[in-house]
Amino acid sequence: MTTPTDAQRMEKIVSLCKRRGFIFQSSEIYGGLNGLWDYGPLGVELKRNLKNYWWRVMVHERDDVVGMDGSILMNRAVWKASGHEDTFSDPMVDCRVCKARLRADQMIEKKGVRQCPNCGSKDLTESRPFNLMFKTYVGATEDESSITYLRPETAQSIFVQFKNVLEVSRKKLPFGIAQIGKAFRNEINPRNFTFRSREFEQMELEYFCRAEEGMRLLEYWKEQRLKFYENIGIPRDTLHVKTVSDEERAFYSTGTYDIEYDFPFGRQELEGVAYRTDYDLSQHQKASGKSLEYFDEETKQRFIPHVVEPSAGVDRTVLALICEAYSEDEAPDEKGKMETRLVLRFHPRIAPIKCAVFPLLKNKEQLVAKAKEIVDLLRPHMNVFYDESGAIGRRYRRQDEIGTPFGATVDFETLGEKDASLRDTVTLRDRDSMKQERIAIQDLAAILRARIA
Ligand code: GAP
């Protein structure tokens, strides 16, 4: 078997995503809309499993973090105070020949002369800032007074609700506020499938602390976040921590790491972990005139907390999970001849379907009835899939291709026809090793739950 080049690998991944219902182009029947994607039946399960696991680890399993869910549209004053209205932009260049609008850092340079990467022309405009926020109007009148923006990050609603959340949760520093939600950026050049989209989801934590704890907590959160990726099946050796240089870092940050992943199209950012100092809360306190200070009951001091922010992209992580899981190996077909097997090796924790249930034959009423009983038994605990059509080998392959880690087959042994001691047992097949073990139906839910936890 030849190893596909990375571009070929990416093409295969994109095509599998569409064919099996992970990700579709948005508005596809109308020709699509660049940088926008819809998640199909399997994609939405994968995405939910990822978000639920993030929430479990970042909120439920901790005493020092609470959650919130803010609105996408906010008062325009938020975006003025945060600096987004003035500075949330990418430098953009237009090619006068092919009319392409491109990010300035995507220009190719030959012998010190900039060229259009599309057509090679040197006839380019000067670079100018292009604000990435989507502008909209609130209410019936479309004028200056009704302008606001679709949020380009979820973080700002956490900052502006800091005081309310602090009061109701009665947390002491250090503590965090977590949020998962949509963000929108009018990217000049959306690309690499869902990697750079115009609408995407973020999983953000704002972890508030005293100034003197900021740098230590930056290290702490970087390590926590690396562990998170390992726990969903992205190995440590595919992740890279980039220390963002002084020039690249936001002026208010005193330390930022990018956690990068080796995608088939290159090493790219999955998540940023930034020490944002007290910049955001100070800006909002100044602009709103409302105190966003923390009162330390022990020292009787009032001060604006600092914040460390791990900010991850849901869509980028889903893409990394699919890229990491995608593999081709060999398995015997019905006649024992080796054939290429396409398999998504998702960690069972995030796999869209946890267990497929098969009656060996669909025209044997007792096998079908037993298999449906097992589906009912498992359904309250996990997402299961029942399949009775086609040869059993084909059914296994269909599940391998979508990353279902386990397959339970009801056969004649289950009915106790050959050996009474095997009555009410099934074969449980492991996707990766393709090994089968005999399991009592009454133990099945507990065994699977332990393996997908
Ligand atoms: N609150 C900080 C913040 O928004 P960011 O580095 O601009 O920081 C955080 O974004 C994460 O959001 C990125 O690491 C990435 O995973 C995701 N993200 C940002 N822009 C994206 C886009 N256009 N498409 C998909 N994901 C994006």
Side-chain angles (χ1 to χ4, degrees), residues 84 88 152-156 159 183-185 187 190 194-204 206 229 252 258-259 269-272 274 276 309-317:
H84 283 84
F88 193 62
E153 61 171 15
T154 67
Q156 294 305 321
F159 296 129
F184 304 80
R185 296 182 190 177
E187 298 285 356
T194 57
F195 179 81
R196 192 178 302 289
S197 306
R198 289 183 165 140
E199 174 176 342
F200 54 96
E201 266 182 291
Q202 292 185 314
M203 305 181 280
E204 297 201 294
E206 303 303 326
Y229 290 109
Y252 49 80
D258 282 349
I259 298 178
E269 177 188 332
L270 268 187
E271 165 160 358
R276 295 173 74 126
E309 175 198 68
S311 170
V314 174
D315 309 76
R316 281 189 190 179
T317 309

Side-chain angles (χ1 to χ4, degrees), residues 246-264:
D246 293 352
E247 299 78 54
E248 286 176 286
R249 221 171 42 224
F251 69 90
Y252 49 80
S253 168
T254 45
T256 300
Y257 293 118
D258 282 349
I259 298 178
E260 300 180 322
Y261 171 73
D262 287 327
F263 286 96

Side-chain angles (χ1 to χ4, degrees), residues 78-291:
V78 172
W79 306 113
K80 289 189 184 194
S82 67
H84 283 84
E85 197 173 84
D86 288 337
T87 59
F88 193 62
S89 54
D90 273 346
M92 176 200 79
V93 170
D94 284 327
C95 171
R96 292 195 183 92
V97 174
C98 72
K99 308 291 175 212
R101 176 159 286 182
L102 300 148
R103 272 174 37 174
D105 61 1
Q106 287 167 357
M107 293 296 120
I108 43 174
E109 207 164 302
K110 281 196 186 145
K111 293 183 187 151
V113 181
R114 292 180 320 157
Q115 289 187 3
C116 170
N118 266 5
C119 70
S121 160
K122 294 174 193 138
D123 192 3
L124 306 169
T125 63
E126 282 305 304
S127 89
R128 56 185 185 280
F130 172 76
N131 196 297
L132 299 179
M133 287 197 294
F134 282 99
K135 193 183 271 185
T136 189
Y137 299 92
V138 178
T141 42
E142 291 193 3
D143 61 20
E144 189 64 18
S145 69
S146 59
I147 288 176
T148 194
Y149 305 94
L150 303 192
R151 68 180 179 196
E153 61 171 15
T154 67
Q156 294 305 321
S157 61
I158 299 181
F159 296 129
V160 300
Q161 290 295 356
F162 167 74
K163 209 54 188 260
N164 278 334
V165 177
L166 175 65
E167 272 168 26
V168 295
S169 63
R170 297 169 51 228
K171 293 286 176 204
K172 302 259 177 288
L173 287 182
F175 81 97
I177 306 176
Q179 177 166 215
I180 299 178
K182 289 270 188 177
F184 304 80
R185 296 182 190 177
N186 198 2
E187 298 285 356
I188 300 167
N189 257 328
R191 62 193 170 139
N192 289 331
F193 198 22
T194 57
F195 179 81
R196 192 178 302 289
S197 306
R198 289 183 165 140
E199 174 176 342
F200 54 96
E201 266 182 291
Q202 292 185 314
M203 305 181 280
E204 297 201 294
L205 171 71
E206 303 303 326
Y207 196 75
F208 299 98
C209 62
R210 290 175 172 78
E212 55 274 24
E213 293 172 310
M215 290 310 278
R216 178 184 64 79
L217 287 167
L218 176 68
E219 297 302 316
Y220 168 81
W221 279 111
K222 177 201 43 158
E223 291 304 319
Q224 291 297 305
R225 298 303 305 146
L226 287 167
K227 270 191 211 139
F228 174 88
Y229 290 109
E230 288 184 80
N231 287 340
I232 55 172
I234 301 183
R236 184 66 182 83
D237 61 359
T238 63
L239 296 167
H240 306 275
V241 178
K242 178 177 132 187
T243 304
V244 180
S245 66
D246 293 352
E247 299 78 54
E248 286 176 286
R249 221 171 42 224
F251 69 90
Y252 49 80
S253 168
T254 45
T256 300
Y257 293 118
D258 282 349
I259 298 178
E260 300 180 322
Y261 171 73
D262 287 327
F263 286 96
F265 45 83
R267 187 170 292 177
Q268 296 281 352
E269 177 188 332
L270 268 187
E271 165 160 358
V273 185
Y275 175 24
R276 295 173 74 126
T277 65
D278 59 354
Y279 174 77
D280 302 274
L281 289 181
S282 301
Q283 286 294 103
H284 290 302
Q285 172 165 293
K286 218 185 306 163
S288 67
K290 304 276 171 11
S291 164

